[in-house]
Amino acid sequence: MGPHPAVAAIRLAVRRVLHDVLTEFHRDGGPGGPGGGKKFSTQMQIIVAAAVAVVLIIGAAVVYTSTKDDGDQGNQASTSGSTGGGEGKGGEGKDGGLAGGSEKAPANTGSKVAFQLPQPEVADVTSVKGSWLTDKAYVKSGVNEVVAYDRDKGTKLWSLPVPAEVCGASRHMTKDFKAAILFKEGKPTKEKKYPACNQVGAVDLASGKLLWSKSVTSATGGDRPVQFDEVTLSGTTVAAGGTSGGAAFKLTSGAELWKPKVSADRCYDMGYGGGEALAVVRKCGSYDSPQLQIQALNPATGAPLSSYQMPAGVDYASIVSTKPLVVAANVGDTANDGSAISDFFSIDAATGKLIVRISADAEKYAARCGSTDVESCRGAVVGNNRLYLPTEDHDGTSEYGDTNEVVAFDLTTGKLLGGRADAGDRYSLTPLRMDGTNVIAYKRPPYDKGGQVVSIDGETFKQTLLMENPSDESVRDAETAFTADRSEVLYAEGRLFFSKQLISERRDSQADEKLYLAVAFRTD
């Protein structure tokens, strides 16, 4: 058996003086600097190091058993987007513990800039959602196109014109590199400035071909196409959903598989979570008194395999993982920090019964989900029958700058497990995805360093450095323009990619600033 760490409950005294502020202050040259830097008071510039009281409650030892590899869940988010490679083999290691993953540290962990993609000029807020990493290419949605770049050099391998703006993309892809996208019904015109997002299609990320595209009408009748809010992929099923309806299609042909059933109590599918299984957040009832259900679905037919009713006071919910089934929600609007998370729900997908509800105080934990998007959570990753979360930033031991940790909850007992991965002074850790039984995480750097990618042992929390980015000011500026909780972040095989989901018209204050659609780093 593996080691027997003690159960620990850690109460952090959090002073949320975000190191991002220091980063911006230094980069912009202080108050009134060339980038329009934030204005600081004297008190805000002086950070007094304080001792943080930590109460360690020692409980009974917990025996960790090895679990089946839950596979690459993307970034979580991937950040948004799926990662190619990085799928480790689970199972037992030499000593009966967890076996780890496939991402290994290179001989030289120092990275260099692989390429930078300039941000296209646009006249309005424009979606560029979607990024994927294949065995040969980094594929990124652009303005009315999807483009593949050589993942080491950034040279274009192919470009797929899309009839209109890409308004959604699956974060998952198949093993042979196929993914789903949403795009609008047309380009803006004087008569129709904001075309509807009602087209769904499948893209072969290896060849750059649009396999098919189509729209569907609502199950309630009529000839108006359904407007989609998000799309996902599970096996060979593409599922797109939104407040006006949804539908599922066969990935290979685009054949319609099913539509959500219309019910008398005004139920509709808010959105779907994909990956190894398919689940849906279904909303019923009135606007003032909604009822949310989490259902595990048969991907081929849409038939519910199980159903769990969320507690009262939940208006929206997000699917963190489909296998095992883990859902995040803001119960009673108690999380008022914009994270949309107060609790996580570990659900038995076979029976629909709640296994455990995990309270995640928004003042302590830093994962976040979209308030309406069902599959948009960042920072929370699931594997080894555990939920891995970053803590909020808090004072470190150095005079300036904050730090945080990654901790884990048991998905059967709901208990906070012993052990943690420390970001280190002035760094901030964000889990990106699972790699077998390990956690791949990004370390946001202080103002004078480059960011890092580490692999965290899912059981011992031991960290292995996989990549450290250059500390040159211009490179730091490009890197820190992206944040792991709001950007699409992909890492695999010594390559790290940041990209935007939305771009907008350049402001006057940005006239001389270099803006990027994506930035890529690689080790030798």
Side-chain angles (χ1 to χ4, degrees):
M1 301 297 293
H4 299 255
V7 177
I10 302 174
R11 296 182 177 178
L12 299 174
V14 179
R15 287 179 56 197
R16 299 183 57 190
V17 184
L18 297 175
H19 81 281
D20 290 15
V21 177
L22 281 177
T23 302
E24 293 292 335
F25 179 84
H26 180 273
R27 183 171 67 194
D28 293 338
K38 298 179 176 69
K39 295 184 178 181
F40 278 57
S41 67
T42 303
Q43 288 180 329
M44 290 177 71
Q45 294 180 46
I46 301 175
I47 302 176
V48 180
V52 178
V54 178
V55 179
L56 185 63
I57 305 171
I58 304 299
V62 177
V63 178
Y64 292 106
T65 58
S66 61
T67 60
K68 179 182 180 294
D69 171 26
D70 290 319
D72 181 5
Q73 299 295 325
N75 152 25
Q76 298 300 290
S78 167
T79 75
S80 155
S82 301
T83 57
E87 290 190 0
K89 301 295 183 183
E92 293 190 358
K94 293 189 300 184
D95 303 321
L98 302 179
S102 63
E103 300 289 357
K104 306 301 180 185
N108 179 10
T109 56
S111 73
K112 60 184 178 182
V113 176
F115 58 90
Q116 297 170 325
L117 303 179
Q119 179 175 304
E121 295 294 336
V122 294
D124 203 347
V125 176
T126 302
S127 168
V128 287
K129 294 180 179 179
S131 58
W132 306 267
L133 189 58
T134 74
D135 58 342
K136 295 181 176 64
Y138 171 67
V139 186
K140 174 61 187 165
S141 296
V143 177
N144 304 330
E145 64 178 354
V146 178
V147 183
Y149 303 89
D150 181 287
R151 60 184 194 172
D152 291 332
K153 302 175 184 177
T155 52
K156 278 190 181 182
L157 301 179
W158 52 258
S159 178
L160 171 65
V162 181
E165 181 179 332
V166 178
C167 44
S170 65
R171 58 168 45 185
H172 307 285
M173 67 179 178
T174 62
K175 290 182 179 180
D176 60 348
F177 310 124
K178 293 181 176 63
I181 62 171
L182 300 175
F183 55 94
K184 294 187 175 182
E185 61 185 353
K187 297 177 181 178
T189 63
K190 290 182 179 180
E191 294 74 23
K192 201 168 192 177
K193 189 175 181 180
Y194 300 104
C197 181
N198 57 25
Q199 305 293 310
V200 59
V203 178
D204 186 328
L205 302 174
S207 66
K209 294 182 179 179
L210 184 65
L211 302 177
W212 53 265
S213 64
K214 60 174 52 181
S215 62
V216 296
T217 56
S218 173
T220 58
D223 57 1
R224 177 176 295 182
V226 170
Q227 182 164 325
F228 299 117
D229 296 323
E230 54 187 314
V231 65
T232 194
L233 179 64
S234 180
T236 57
T237 296
V238 174
T243 57
S244 61
F249 311 86
K250 193 168 184 177
L251 174 67
T252 52
S253 65
E256 188 177 309
L257 294 175
W258 46 267
K259 290 180 181 178
K261 292 182 178 179
V262 179
S263 60
D265 51 356
R266 292 179 287 181
C267 293
Y268 67 92
D269 289 4
M270 296 182 67
Y272 304 94
E276 289 192 65
L278 185 65
V280 63
V281 177
R282 190 164 173 81
K283 194 169 190 177
C284 302
S286 66
Y287 175 83
D288 294 329
S289 182
Q291 295 178 334
L292 262 61
Q293 293 180 342
I294 309 300
Q295 295 180 339
L297 302 180
N298 180 328
T301 66
L305 303 175
S306 66
S307 183
Y308 170 73
Q309 184 165 314
M310 296 291 286
V314 177
D315 294 331
Y316 302 96
S318 299
I319 297 172
V320 180
S321 167
T322 57
K323 191 176 181 181
L325 184 53
V326 179
V327 173
N330 185 6
V331 182
D333 292 327
T334 53
N336 55 11
D337 64 340
S339 68
I341 305 172
S342 67
D343 297 83
F344 291 90
F345 297 77
S346 175
I347 302 168
D348 186 337
T351 65
K353 293 182 178 179
L354 179 67
I355 298 173
V356 69
R357 175 174 166 176
I358 300 170
S359 177
D361 188 338
E363 293 187 357
K364 292 183 180 180
Y365 303 105
R368 65 170 53 242
C369 299
S371 59
T372 56
D373 292 344
V374 164
E375 201 178 35
S376 63
C377 294
R378 306 295 173 89
V381 299
V382 173
N384 313 321
N385 197 42
R386 298 163 195 177
L387 169 67
Y388 296 92
L389 296 178
T391 66
E392 290 282 3
D393 289 352
H394 58 79
D395 286 343
T397 58
S398 63
E399 185 177 2
Y400 297 102
D402 294 344
T403 188
N404 79 331
E405 301 80 36
V406 169
V407 298
F409 290 87
D410 188 292
L411 289 175
T412 300
T413 66
K415 292 182 178 180
L416 181 66
L417 301 178
R420 66 183 188 185
D422 294 307
D425 271 343
R426 303 193 300 149
Y427 288 87
S428 183
L429 262 172
T430 300
L432 299 178
R433 63 175 176 88
M434 295 300 298
D435 171 36
T437 56
N438 293 341
V439 179
I440 302 299
Y442 172 68
K443 284 188 178 182
R444 184 170 175 84
Y447 69 85
D448 57 350
K449 301 285 186 181
Q452 298 178 354
V453 177
V454 296
S455 176
I456 303 172
D457 186 292
E459 183 174 19
T460 66
F461 292 91
K462 179 183 177 181
Q463 298 179 51
T464 300
L465 179 65
L466 300 178
M467 172 183 284
E468 183 165 17
N469 294 334
S471 59
D472 307 71
E473 184 177 2
S474 61
V475 177
R476 290 198 322 264
D477 288 351
E479 177 180 1
T480 55
F482 299 87
T483 59
D485 61 342
R486 298 186 184 276
S487 307
E488 295 173 349
V489 186
L490 303 179
Y491 176 86
E493 300 174 341
R495 299 168 179 88
L496 175 65
F497 303 86
F498 297 94
S499 63
K500 293 182 179 178
Q501 299 184 89
L502 296 172
I503 58 176
S504 58
E505 183 179 10
R506 184 184 291 265
R507 301 189 302 270
D508 291 341
S509 61
Q510 299 172 317
D512 299 324
E513 186 177 348
K514 291 183 178 179
L515 302 178
Y516 297 104
L517 173 67
V519 174
F521 297 88
R522 57 167 294 200
T523 54
D524 292 327

